């Protein structure tokens, strides 16, 4: 059965932040269950959006069509417009996912949106900076963790300058790779360890 990870897309979304995630999920080599995972993009409407880097993306489905029951995870990238109310419906969707026990992963400005929604008030989390999240008026400052990425149960948060750590936490939460493969992947991309490339090649599995 196919497992779907939904990635939210909206104007000015930071296209590099989920890039390691999309590549890792859509490229079945080295996965525990090659060929069973897919990415689908979710927009507020069916109209194309333009990323921060100028990429034009047509959403696969709209937010009102999104259901936690049909998803393995909701991924929320950062964007220039998280600090106003335009993306509040996506923070609302995150609340629905967490209530349903379906994981949510938020990076950069999306952590600001979740803080405004009250979703970071009582759980360990990170973001771009404690001062940034404090400006939302949220009450979770005491739970801020100064790490590139943090997993607390079904919620993953990350700094915008940590897309590799963000991906590693997502892959671990989805159980996408064997632990040794995930370790090699991280050593290759985060530590630039050339020996990890050969470890990954040895663990590559073609989809059935």
């Amino acid at each position: 059965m196919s497992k779907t990870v939904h990635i939210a897309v909206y104007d000015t979304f930071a296209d590099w932040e989920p890039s390691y995630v999309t590549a890792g999920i859509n490229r079945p080599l080295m996965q525990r269950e090659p060929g069973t995972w897919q990415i689908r993009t979710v927009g507020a409407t069916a109209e194309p959006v333009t990323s921060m880097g100028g990429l034009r993306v047509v959403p696969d489905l709209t937010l009102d069509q999104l259901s936690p029951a049909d998803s393995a995870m909701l991924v929320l990238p950062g964007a220039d417009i998280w600090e106003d109310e335009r993306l509040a419906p996506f923070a609302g969707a995150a609340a629905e996912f967490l209530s349903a026990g379906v994981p949510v992963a938020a990076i950069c400005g999306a952590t600001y949106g979740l803080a405004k929604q009250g979703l970071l008030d009582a759980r360990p989390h990170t973001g771009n900076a404690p001062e940034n999240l404090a400006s939302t008026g949220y009450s979770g400052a005491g739970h801020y963790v100064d790490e590139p990425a943090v997993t607390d149960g079904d919620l993953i948060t990350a700094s915008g300058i940590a897309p590799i750590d963000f991906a590693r936490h997502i892959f671990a939460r989805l159980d996408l790779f064997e632990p040794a493969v995930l370790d090699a992947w991280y050593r290759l991309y985060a530590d630039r360890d050339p020996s990890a490339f050969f470890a990954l090649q040895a663990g590559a599995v073609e989809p059935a």
Side-chain angles (χ1 to χ4, degrees):
M1 184 176 69
S2 178
K3 300 178 182 180
T4 303
V5 172
H6 290 92
I7 295 191
V9 292
Y10 19 76
D11 283 327
T12 77
F13 80 91
D15 38 33
W16 69 90
E17 291 175 348
S19 60
Y20 289 94
V21 176
T22 56
I25 291 172
N26 275 335
R27 188 167 185 254
L29 295 177
M30 302 169 293
Q31 293 179 5
R32 284 183 187 269
E33 302 172 282
T36 64
W37 291 89
Q38 66 172 346
I39 294 284
R40 297 196 75 198
T41 54
V42 184
T45 71
E47 293 299 309
V49 299
T50 303
S51 75
M52 199 175 292
L55 299 179
R56 187 171 182 269
V57 178
V58 179
D60 294 315
L61 69 158
T62 56
L63 201 53
D64 62 351
Q65 296 172 316
L66 178 66
S67 169
D70 299 326
S71 184
M73 179 179 284
L74 175 62
V75 178
L76 301 172
D80 286 340
I81 56 176
W82 266 111
E83 295 192 9
D84 59 40
E85 295 303 314
R86 281 175 283 178
L87 298 185
F90 288 93
E96 292 178 16
F97 268 61
L98 292 172
S99 294
V102 181
V104 171
I107 184 171
C108 193
T111 63
Y112 185 98
L114 297 194
K116 286 180 66 176
Q117 186 75 19
L119 299 177
L120 306 184
D121 286 346
R123 59 198 313 164
H125 62 276
T126 193
N128 287 340
E131 297 83 1
N132 174 253
L133 296 184
S135 68
T136 67
Y138 85 135
S139 60
H143 298 287
Y144 188 90
V145 181
D146 188 17
E147 293 290 342
V150 171
T151 296
D152 179 65
D154 289 329
L155 179 64
I156 296 168
T157 50
S159 162
I161 58 172
I164 296 174
D165 290 87
F166 186 55
R168 179 175 65 163
H169 280 247
I170 288 173
F171 297 157
R173 184 63 184 80
L174 295 175
D175 202 22
L176 194 68
F177 303 123
E178 295 287 348
V181 172
L182 181 57
D183 176 70
W185 179 91
Y186 187 76
R187 286 190 292 112
L188 177 63
Y189 290 102
D191 302 332
R192 300 179 301 281
D193 179 355
S195 70
F197 173 80
F198 299 101
L200 284 176
Q201 291 297 103
V205 177
E206 294 290 347

